[in-house]
Amino acid sequence: MTRRSRRPGRLLALGALAFGLTVTLGATLPAAPAGAAGTPTPRTGFETSHGTRWTSQPEEQAFLAAVDRASARVRVDRIGTTEQGRPLRLVRIGAPAPERPAGVRRGNSVLLICAQHGDEPSGREACLSTVRDLAYARDRATRRFLERTSVLVVPTANPDGRAANIRGNADGKDINRDHLALRTAEARAVATVLRDYRPDSVLDLHEYDAVVPYYTKDLLSLWPRNPNTAEAVHHESGVLAGEFVGPAVRNAGFSTGVYGIWTDPETGEPVKQVAGDGQERILRNTVGVKGSLGLLVETRINPLTAAEQADPALNNRRRVDSQLAAVKGAFDFSGRHRARVEAATATARLAGYADHGPVYLGGADNAPPTDAQTLSDPPCAYRLDAAQLARIEDALALHGLVWRPDPAGGAVVPLRQSLRGLVPLLLDQRAGYHLAVAMPTDDCRA
């Protein structure tokens, strides 16, 4: 049995987006809030240098502390520590700010993950200024948005990599290939946020290297391709990409395309796919399997125009501004499609309790799983022995999976749970990135 190929909805030219959130581009800053007379509005190192350099980590710490002090909408928490001792932070923004994980669910919630790859800094700059703009905005539209939407931000998901300007973390691990195994402190922190807050939408901000003339757009995006993503979640992720983020980026004056697909510069037709598959260990796919909408955005690092080549700061500002435009589109989507999104994510998370239908161990929405990659009749559960459980128990808990003790030792992990599609990906020997080779069992009473 194979799953039919699914693609996002058709692109709609929406024209100028009218939701009106105060997410600024370039060096424009929001007005100071009432009661803050004489207090300077916080600015990032990137902003004060007009894009000639990236914000340092001490500057980020001071910036977030200033925003936290100045705005009752904001909470900044430490959610982990890197190998080199740097803090991993989560910023929570709402009106009022959520007090605890359970309090984040006043409706729709959006999570921004920034700088998973340390040598891709523009998304981090967009996230930092977005935190400040949402915290300080006084316009009615933003206040109304934050009353019904919680915004969660991990501004620097890889602080050690950012400090060294390298892709991986201090151990050379690619965090964006660790969202199943959770062996890195950075991926564990992200998993904790996904488990505790269960965001409806996740925007993962990255950068890419251009390949002239086939791969040169200012900003590319891609939804979850993993075939275990629920139909409605997949569809709404496509709408997010094609009907909101794409038009918002184009309306800001930038070019857009699909990540991982080279296109003919004359015809716009696909030439070949070079990235962007359905790997479940990549964040945009992991969140889809977990029932959240996901979108990867990638801005082009390379300066291609003569002006950008002559002025690196101009190129840096383009990179950040295109990321900000994508964030603006994502917020517009959340505001307009709130009910549809909440229905899609709730349905996806409840479907696992029915314990019905196939689970896919490979494939993608544009490369349907083969019969060998399809569990047409999945087992009721997987049995772990005591040694296996001891080895992966922390990862299971971080994912939010449930299991019960096995009388013979170890544990039984049932498929009948919210994260049903995740269980075989972690425990079946045929899965590409399994954590253990567990024993399938059809004895649901075990």
Side-chain angles (χ1 to χ4, degrees):
M1 176 180 179
T2 58
R3 194 184 198 194
R4 65 183 179 85
S5 176
R6 300 178 306 174
R7 297 182 185 276
R10 62 188 179 88
L11 303 184
L12 299 179
L14 297 182
L17 296 173
F19 193 62
L21 292 180
T22 310
V23 178
T24 60
L25 298 182
T28 305
L29 292 173
T39 303
T41 304
R43 292 167 62 93
T44 66
F46 180 83
E47 290 170 326
T48 58
S49 71
H50 301 288
T52 61
R53 63 178 180 81
W54 306 109
T55 301
S56 70
Q57 291 182 327
E59 286 174 328
E60 175 189 319
Q61 182 173 352
F63 176 87
L64 291 176
V67 173
D68 193 9
R69 287 193 303 269
S71 176
R73 299 173 185 167
V74 175
R75 298 282 188 276
V76 180
D77 296 316
R78 187 168 183 153
I79 56 172
T81 303
T82 68
E83 178 70 22
Q84 295 181 344
R86 294 184 174 90
L88 292 155
R89 295 187 177 90
L90 172 68
V91 183
R92 297 177 286 166
I93 312 164
E99 293 291 340
R100 58 187 182 277
V104 80
R105 298 286 300 184
R106 292 185 308 280
N108 198 275
S109 54
V110 182
L111 170 63
L112 308 182
I113 300 292
C114 324
Q116 281 203 79
H117 294 146
D119 57 354
E120 300 172 7
S122 72
R124 171 176 176 259
E125 300 295 344
C127 287
L128 289 171
S129 60
T130 295
V131 166
R132 186 267 323 286
D133 293 349
L134 292 177
Y136 278 70
R138 299 193 300 188
D139 63 285
R140 184 175 182 277
T142 304
R143 292 200 309 269
R144 178 64 173 157
F145 175 75
L146 291 175
E147 286 170 359
R148 299 188 296 169
T149 305
S150 296
V151 178
L152 310 171
V153 184
V154 179
T156 309
N158 181 7
D160 292 350
R162 175 81 286 273
N165 195 34
I166 58 175
R167 179 179 176 89
N169 67 1
D171 295 327
K173 299 291 188 350
D174 187 335
I175 297 164
N176 204 27
R177 301 298 184 272
D178 189 38
H179 292 292
L180 278 191
L182 304 179
R183 295 189 176 98
T184 63
E186 297 86 355
R188 290 196 294 272
V190 172
T192 300
V193 175
L194 295 176
R195 180 195 64 193
D196 292 349
Y197 293 91
R198 304 186 78 186
D200 292 284
S201 305
V202 180
L203 199 66
D204 187 18
L205 282 61
H206 287 258
E207 300 195 76
Y208 82 100
D209 286 317
V211 177
V212 179
Y214 303 110
Y215 206 42
T216 61
K217 303 295 187 183
D218 293 315
L219 186 134
L220 306 171
S221 66
L222 189 63
W223 50 92
R225 285 196 184 276
N226 188 280
N228 293 294
T229 304
E231 187 78 32
V233 168
H234 181 272
H235 172 76
E236 293 298 335
S237 297
V239 172
L240 167 62
E243 299 181 19
F244 284 84
V245 168
V249 172
R250 291 192 293 274
N251 289 338
F254 304 109
S255 57
T256 64
V258 175
Y259 176 71
I261 306 295
W262 288 11
T263 56
D264 186 296
E266 299 296 329
T267 66
E269 292 298 314
V271 173
K272 67 175 178 176
Q273 182 170 341
V274 297
D277 58 18
Q279 283 185 54
E280 57 267 25
R281 60 182 182 159
I282 296 172
L283 184 62
R284 65 178 164 81
N285 288 318
T286 303
V287 300
V289 174
K290 290 185 173 183
S292 296
L293 277 63
L295 192 68
L296 169 76
V297 295
E298 300 251 1
T299 197
R300 190 189 74 238
I301 288 177
N302 318 68
L304 296 185
T305 68
E308 289 178 354
Q309 290 170 350
D311 182 2
L314 179 64
N315 183 55
N316 292 343
R317 292 195 297 272
R318 173 194 57 79
R319 291 158 64 181
V320 175
D321 284 355
S322 63
Q323 296 272 18
L324 283 167
V327 172
K328 171 68 160 55
F331 287 170
D332 284 341
F333 170 80
S334 295
R336 294 175 186 268
H337 283 213
R338 178 175 288 105
R340 282 172 45 173
V341 169
E342 291 174 13
T345 57
T347 300
R349 291 160 181 168
L350 289 172
Y353 292 106
D355 194 15
H356 174 74
V359 176
Y360 304 97
L361 303 179
D365 63 358
N366 61 345
T370 65
D371 290 344
Q373 295 172 317
T374 303
L375 295 177
S376 299
D377 184 20
C380 178
Y382 289 87
R383 179 177 284 111
L384 294 164
D385 64 31
Q388 290 173 321
L389 179 62
R391 190 172 70 251
I392 70 169
E393 182 174 1
D394 286 349
L396 296 179
L398 284 166
H399 282 302
L401 289 169
V402 298
W403 64 91
R404 59 183 180 271
D406 183 356
V412 173
V413 185
L415 265 68
R416 190 184 298 275
Q417 57 178 299
S418 178
L419 299 179
R420 176 179 184 265
L422 185 64
V423 175
L425 297 178
L426 295 175
L427 303 180
D428 196 288
Q429 66 176 341
R430 292 163 289 181
Y433 305 102
H434 59 256
L435 303 190
V437 177
M439 179 67 68
T441 176
D442 288 324
D443 184 359
C444 297
R445 299 166 297 172

